[in-house]
């Protein structure tokens, strides 16, 4: 029993060491190549224990059905299923720019029904939220407390994904008023320069600006 526990601990330590030297994580195939001396069953058990303990995390790869194992960087949510943690980690990684629902489906390999069910649970727990980016009806997901990037919200000129026409109109009036003030100031300066240099047109033009 003691020997089995020691072997299990050694396997876990080996997996952690390999992942520690690859901060962006490894696919299962790459992990196998880097731990060729480890028994397949022992490797699988080590990975499962490390996932359960939260020491490593599993992220979707860039192709459907593929996944990446790496040392945990993101947040481990309590009482979450594997699918919920998977999607949460993917959304967390997307930051302020969020991730499109289609990309979640493509990268997790989950069915549409399963994916929407998981997203609904995460939204109900106020862990993630969906927003509609300016100029599109597509849904984008990000962490619940995250402030969306201006590329999604449209920035100052938009409110609730709608162009704030009143704000734009007010800003336009202010700009026009400022230009009129500047123009009047320049006209006064030109007139003063002309009055002070009536006999020297070149000097009048030079001091008018």
């Amino acid at each position: 029993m003691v020997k089995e526990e020691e072997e299990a601990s050694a396997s876990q330590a080996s997996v952690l060491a390999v992942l520690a030297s690859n901060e962006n994580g490894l696919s299962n195939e790459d992990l196998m190549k880097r731990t060729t001396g480890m028994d397949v069953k022992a490797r699988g058990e080590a990975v499962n224990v490390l996932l359960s303990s939260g020491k490593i995390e599993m992220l979707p790869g860039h192709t459907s059905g593929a996944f990446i194992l790496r040392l945990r960087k993101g947040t481990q949510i309590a009482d979450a299923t594997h699918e919920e943690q998977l999607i949460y980690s993917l959304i967390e990684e997307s930051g302020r720019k969020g991730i499109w629902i289609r990309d979640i489906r493509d990268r997790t390999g989950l069915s549409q029904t399963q994916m929407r069910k998981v997203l609904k649970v995460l939204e109900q727990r106020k862990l993630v939220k969906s927003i509609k980016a300016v100029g599109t009806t597509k849904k984008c997901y990000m962490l619940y407390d995250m402030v969306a990037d201006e590329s999604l919200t449209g920035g100052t000129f938009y409110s609730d994904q709608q162009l704030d026409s009143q704000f734009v109109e007010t800003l336009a009036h202010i700009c026009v008023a400022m230009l009129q003030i500047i123009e009047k100031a320049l006209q006064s300066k030109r007139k003063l320069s002309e009055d002070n240099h009536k006999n020297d047109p070149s000097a009048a033009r030079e001091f008018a600006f």
Side-chain angles (χ1 to χ4, degrees), residues 31-67:
L31 179 61
M32 290 174 64
K33 291 176 183 177
R34 286 167 171 75
T35 55
T36 52
M38 191 182 300
D39 179 72
V40 175
K41 182 181 178 182
R43 184 191 301 109
E45 290 176 347
V47 167
N48 286 333
V49 170
L50 293 171
L51 283 171
S52 299
S53 64
K55 292 180 180 178
I56 67 173
E57 59 185 346
M58 181 186 292
L59 295 174
H62 292 286
T63 58
S64 180
F67 63 88

Side-chain angles (χ1 to χ4, degrees), residues 167-187:
F167 174 74
V168 173
E169 185 177 351
T170 300
L171 189 61
H173 286 317
I174 293 173
C175 290
V176 170
M178 289 296 295
L179 289 172
Q180 289 174 341
I181 291 172
I182 293 172
E183 178 60 25
K184 287 181 179 179
L186 288 174
Q187 288 177 354

Side-chain angles (χ1 to χ4, degrees), residues 1 3 6 34 58 61 65 68 71 73 81 92 102 110-111 114 119 188-189 194 203 209:
M1 184 68 177
K3 183 180 179 181
E6 290 178 348
R34 286 167 171 75
M58 181 186 292
I68 298 294
L71 295 183
K73 293 182 180 180
T81 65
E92 185 177 30
R102 182 180 62 184
L110 297 175
S111 67
Q114 192 176 15
L119 287 170
S188 297
K189 187 176 181 181
E194 290 170 357
F209 298 98

Side-chain angles (χ1 to χ4, degrees), residues 18-176:
V18 171
L19 294 180
S21 61
N22 295 271
E23 63 175 25
N24 292 324
L26 294 171
S27 66
N28 190 48
E29 292 75 15
D30 288 334
L31 179 61
M32 290 174 64
K33 291 176 183 177
R34 286 167 171 75
T35 55
T36 52
M38 191 182 300
D39 179 72
V40 175
K41 182 181 178 182
R43 184 191 301 109
E45 290 176 347
V47 167
N48 286 333
V49 170
L50 293 171
L51 283 171
S52 299
S53 64
K55 292 180 180 178
I56 67 173
E57 59 185 346
M58 181 186 292
L59 295 174
H62 292 286
T63 58
S64 180
F67 63 88
I68 298 294
L69 294 168
R70 74 175 187 189
L71 295 183
R72 176 165 293 284
K73 293 182 180 180
T75 305
Q76 184 175 17
I77 53 178
D79 302 321
T81 65
H82 169 68
E83 290 78 12
E84 289 166 2
Q85 182 65 59
L86 188 65
I87 289 182
Y88 179 88
S89 296
L90 197 58
I91 293 173
E92 185 177 30
E93 283 225 327
S94 69
R96 294 181 60 206
K97 292 192 174 182
I99 182 170
W100 300 107
I101 191 168
R102 182 180 62 184
D103 293 332
I104 295 176
R105 184 185 66 240
D106 291 345
R107 291 191 61 185
T108 59
L110 297 175
S111 67
Q112 187 83 353
T113 302
Q114 192 176 15
M115 179 190 63
R116 290 188 180 280
K117 182 180 179 181
V118 170
L119 287 170
K120 184 177 180 180
V121 170
L122 294 176
E123 285 187 282
Q124 288 175 339
R125 293 182 63 181
K126 296 189 182 302
L127 294 171
V128 305
K129 63 183 176 183
S130 66
I131 67 168
K132 290 181 180 178
V134 169
T136 180
T137 58
K138 297 178 181 178
K139 279 188 176 182
C140 178
Y141 284 85
M142 64 183 58
L143 295 187
Y144 186 79
D145 295 324
M146 188 71 66
V147 177
D149 187 86
E150 287 191 358
S151 62
L152 297 174
T153 64
T156 308
F157 295 101
Y158 285 80
S159 176
D160 296 326
Q161 281 71 54
Q162 297 294 323
L163 180 65
D164 191 340
S165 55
Q166 184 175 358
F167 174 74
V168 173
E169 185 177 351
T170 300
L171 189 61
H173 286 317
I174 293 173
C175 290
V176 170

